């Protein structure tokens, strides 16, 4: 493998590391592990597209999908990660003393700068026993806010359902 290609692939993989750090807020940076059947990297466009049972792990963070697209900004930092699939999946545990937050949908978008996750089309999110379901869910990581909508572009409305656990 050429040195240039190796550097490009390494940069694409390391860019995902920002995803885990942003979600997990871990002080020590855990290694990023990526498994996929295929990688298409476009260094000029700042994109990496992983295909085929993509699994990304870093510490307590998990992102899975049939396809995952990574986009970088002009400074080379991760700006957005999008997972696609029949049931794309996201899991993270911001606090090791609390249950993980898990979500799945046909499309999951993590907006790094906003620290916001969108779950789109048949979206579900579990947060400490509370369960949200709808066409579109947005989770604001720092504020711990969930917004739910029934409308999904190109699809029938998917009514919102929530199960909220009483405070203990």
């Amino acid at each position: 493998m050429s040195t240039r290609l190796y550097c490009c692939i390494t940069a694409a993989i390391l860019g995902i590391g920002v995803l885990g750090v942003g979600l997990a807020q871990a002080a020590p940076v855990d290694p990023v592990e990526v498994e996929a059947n295929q990688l298409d990297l476009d260094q000029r466009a700042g994109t990496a597209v992983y295909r085929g049972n993509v699994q990304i792990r870093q510490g307590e963070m998990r992102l899975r999908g049939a396809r995952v697209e990574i986009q970088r900004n002009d400074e080379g930092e991760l700006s957005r990660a999008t997972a696609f699939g029949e049931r794309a999946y996201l899991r993270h545990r911001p606090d090791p003393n609390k249950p993980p937050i898990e979500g799945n949908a046909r499309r999951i978008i993590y907006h790094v700068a906003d620290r916001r996750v969108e779950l789109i089309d048949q979206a579900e999110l579990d947060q400490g026993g509370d369960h949200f379901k709808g066409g579109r869910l947005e989770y604001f990581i720092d504020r711990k806010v969930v917004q739910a909508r029934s409308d999904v572009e190109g699809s029938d409305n998917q009514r919102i359902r929530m199960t909220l656990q009483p405070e203990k």
Side-chain angles (χ1 to χ4, degrees):
M1 176 182 305
S2 76
T3 304
R4 182 171 171 82
L5 179 58
Y6 177 76
C7 290
C8 292
I9 291 172
T10 302
I13 292 171
L14 290 177
I16 296 167
V18 177
L19 173 67
V21 171
L23 286 175
Q25 298 248 333
V29 178
D30 294 315
V32 177
E33 299 176 44
V34 180
E35 293 181 32
N37 294 336
Q38 181 179 340
L39 166 63
D40 293 318
L41 180 66
D42 185 338
Q43 190 171 6
R44 274 190 236 172
T47 61
V49 179
Y50 298 88
R51 289 186 177 85
N53 190 25
V54 182
Q55 298 183 34
I56 301 173
R57 294 177 297 282
Q58 182 181 37
E60 291 292 320
M61 188 279 300
R62 305 286 184 268
L63 182 63
R64 294 191 308 240
R67 184 175 91 232
V68 176
E69 296 178 0
I70 305 294
Q71 294 181 328
R72 297 169 160 266
N73 61 23
D74 292 337
E75 289 78 39
E77 301 164 332
L78 177 73
S79 60
R80 185 170 62 201
T82 306
F84 300 88
E86 189 59 34
R87 298 311 294 158
Y89 173 80
L90 172 73
R91 177 184 190 270
H92 88 284
R93 183 182 299 236
D95 183 340
N97 299 318
K98 293 185 180 179
I101 296 164
E102 295 182 285
N104 57 62
R106 289 193 169 157
R107 182 172 43 160
I108 298 174
I109 306 170
Y110 174 47
H111 301 271
V112 176
D114 298 337
R115 294 190 39 78
R116 175 174 59 99
V117 178
E118 290 182 86
L119 299 104
I120 303 167
D121 201 0
Q122 297 182 13
E124 295 186 53
L125 182 70
D126 287 304
Q127 179 183 30
D130 295 341
H131 183 80
F132 304 88
K133 186 175 183 176
R136 177 187 206 87
L137 302 174
E138 284 188 84
Y139 176 59
F140 295 83
I141 296 167
D142 295 331
R143 297 184 310 173
K144 298 180 181 161
V145 169
V146 175
Q147 294 180 345
R149 305 287 183 266
S150 61
D151 61 318
V152 176
E153 188 176 316
S155 179
D156 293 336
N157 280 356
Q158 300 166 28
R159 287 186 56 83
I160 298 164
R161 299 187 194 310
M162 295 181 301
T163 304
L164 302 175
Q165 300 298 323
E167 292 289 326
K168 293 182 182 179

